[in-house]
Amino acid sequence: MKQSLTKITLPLLAGLPLVAIADVPRVAVDIPPVYSLVSKVMGELGKPTLFMQQGASPHGYSLRPSEAQALDTAELVVWVSTDLTPWLSNPLASLASEAEHLELMALEETQVLNYRDRSVALTEAHDDHDHDHDHDHDHDHDHDHDHDHDHDDHDHHHDGLDPHGWLDPENARLWLDAIARRLSVLDPENAEIYQSNATQAKAGLLDLQIALENQLTMQPAPRFVVFHDAYQYFEQRFDVPSEGAISLGDASTPSPARIEAIQQHVLKNDIQCVFSEPQFNPAMVENVFGDTPAVMGVIDPLGVELPLGPTLYDQLLRQLADALKECSAQQQP
C-alpha cells in the first residue's frame, strides 16, 4: 500500500509548477502605475496586491478591511510618496511595521521636481511662454523660491515636492531596478529572474519613451489646460507644457475667481483643449468651458480605467501622448 501511494503522489507533485513551491514575497502597492512596475519585475513569479481601490484618489483614503490585511501581511510595501498619500503614514507604522518599505520618490536616484506656483492669474501672453518653459528646464531641481507663497484661493496649497514622478519614464526605469534589488534581497533564489525582468522592462520603457518623443515632437505644440497640476513630469520630459491648471490643489475645488481667470485665459489665448480627470466631475469642466472653443477631454494620471497588469504603465503614457496629439490637431492653421 505504501508503494502504491508513492507512485500516485510523485506524478502529482511533478505536475505542479515550480513557481508555486517558491516562497515569493508578498508585495503591497499603492496606485495602479506602481502595481504595473512591480508586476513587470515579478513577472510569472507572482503578483502584488493593490491596497487602494483603483478608482480612488490617493490623496485621501480609508482602508477597507481586506486592504488593511494586505498591508498587515506584506513583506514589502512599495508606494510613491507620503506627499501623495499623507494618510498612509499611520497604517505603515501600525500595520506594516515589520515589512520592508520602498518609498520611490525618496530614492536618491529619483529625479524630483517641486510644485509650480500657479496661484497667480494666467494673464501672460503666449509669446513669453517658450522663455518661461526654458527657464523651468534650467531649474528642475531649484524651484523652492517659487513655492513659499501662500495660495489665496484654496485650502490645500502645494509647497515642495511634486509626488507625481511616475509620469516621467526615466524615473520608472530607475524604480524598476530598485524594486528588483529589494525583491532580490527578500527572495535571493529568484534574484536573477527579478534582475532579468527589470532589464527587459527597462528596455521596453526606453523604446516607449523614444516613440512618444517622436510622436509629440512631430506635432504642433498643443495648447491645453489640465484639471489639476499633476503632469509636469510628463510635460517636461516630452516638452509639452500645459497652459495652467483649473484646480490648484489635488483635494480642493477651484474658487469662482480661479475658474474665471482660467476661462478668460482660454478665451484670450486660443487654448485648444481643457482636460478633466476620471476622479473628478467632468460636468463642472463642461459647464465652465462649454461656451469656449476649447475641446473638452479626459486624461488620467493614475490609469484608473485600465486593466491592472504589467502593461498598464505603458498604456497610461500612451493615452496621455495620444490625448495631446489629438489636442494639437485642433490647432487652427
Side-chain angles (χ1 to χ4, degrees):
M1 184 68 178
K2 184 177 181 179
Q3 184 179 5
S4 175
L5 283 174
T6 303
K7 289 181 180 179
I8 294 173
T9 304
L10 287 177
L12 289 174
L13 289 174
L16 291 174
L18 293 178
V19 294
I21 301 174
D23 188 16
V24 177
R26 295 181 296 275
V27 185
V29 301
D30 57 350
I31 60 173
V34 175
Y35 182 101
S36 179
L37 295 176
V38 173
S39 295
K40 290 176 183 290
V41 177
M42 296 187 76
E44 297 297 323
L45 293 175
K47 297 179 180 179
T49 300
L50 194 68
F51 61 78
M52 291 174 51
Q53 288 180 280
Q54 189 171 357
S57 171
H59 308 290
Y61 191 73
S62 297
L63 292 172
R64 296 180 297 180
S66 60
E67 295 160 346
Q69 184 179 14
L71 279 177
D72 188 44
T73 59
E75 296 169 82
L76 173 63
V77 181
V78 185
W79 79 102
V80 174
S81 170
T82 50
D83 292 291
L84 182 73
T85 51
W87 56 270
L88 186 56
S89 296
N90 288 337
L92 284 176
S94 60
L95 297 173
S97 59
E98 297 183 4
E100 290 286 322
H101 293 178
L102 181 57
E103 185 178 3
L104 298 171
M105 290 297 293
L107 294 173
E108 184 178 356
E109 59 266 33
T110 298
Q111 301 181 51
V112 300
L113 300 172
N114 286 319
Y115 272 111
R116 298 174 283 196
D117 184 1
R118 287 192 156 172
S119 60
V120 296
L122 297 173
T123 57
E124 295 179 359
H126 188 69
D127 290 342
D128 296 331
H129 178 75
D130 291 339
H131 170 75
D132 292 340
H133 180 56
D134 291 338
H135 178 79
D136 287 344
H137 269 278
D138 292 338
H139 296 80
D140 284 355
H141 300 280
D142 189 23
H143 290 192
D144 290 341
H145 63 284
D146 290 331
H147 301 278
D148 295 330
H149 307 292
D150 290 335
H151 296 170
D152 58 5
D153 62 348
H154 71 301
D155 294 329
H156 303 274
H157 77 276
H158 284 316
D159 296 334
L161 176 70
D162 181 343
H164 303 88
W166 67 89
L167 293 179
D168 182 348
E170 292 199 8
N171 276 340
R173 294 206 305 275
L174 293 167
W175 294 350
L176 288 167
D177 279 333
I179 293 164
R181 287 194 300 269
R182 197 63 62 93
L183 284 170
S184 296
V185 171
L186 292 171
D187 183 15
E189 291 184 6
N190 289 313
E192 289 187 10
I193 295 177
Y194 297 131
Q195 296 294 342
S196 176
N197 288 345
T199 299
Q200 183 177 353
K202 284 168 60 183
L205 289 187
L206 180 58
D207 289 342
L208 174 63
Q209 181 176 336
I210 293 171
L212 297 186
E213 286 173 351
N214 291 334
Q215 174 180 334
L216 292 170
T217 56
M218 292 174 63
Q219 302 297 324
R223 308 278 300 280
F224 65 101
V225 168
V226 296
F227 186 86
H228 83 293
D229 196 18
Y231 303 92
Q232 69 165 326
Y233 286 92
F234 188 90
E235 293 172 30
Q236 293 207 20
R237 178 58 57 202
F238 296 103
D239 197 20
V240 283
S242 67
E243 294 279 348
I246 300 169
S247 176
L248 292 172
D250 296 333
S252 65
T253 300
S255 69
R258 179 71 185 173
I259 291 174
E260 183 179 1
I262 295 285
Q263 188 178 38
Q264 291 302 313
H265 186 69
V266 168
L267 289 168
K268 291 178 181 179
N269 295 283
D270 190 30
I271 305 302
Q272 299 148 9
C273 305
V274 178
F275 290 112
S276 181
E277 296 178 15
Q279 301 95 323
F280 301 99
N281 184 3
M284 188 272 285
V285 176
E286 180 67 33
N287 290 338
V288 172
F289 299 99
D291 294 332
T292 73
V295 175
M296 306 296 118
V298 178
I299 54 176
D300 177 13
L302 291 170
V304 299
E305 296 179 348
L306 297 173
L308 278 178
T311 63
L312 180 146
Y313 182 81
D314 309 59
Q315 291 177 273
L316 171 61
L317 294 192
R318 286 194 188 98
Q319 285 192 355
L320 287 176
D322 288 346
L324 295 183
K325 179 180 177 182
E326 292 176 10
C327 181
S328 69
Q330 305 297 323
Q331 182 169 321
Q332 297 298 320

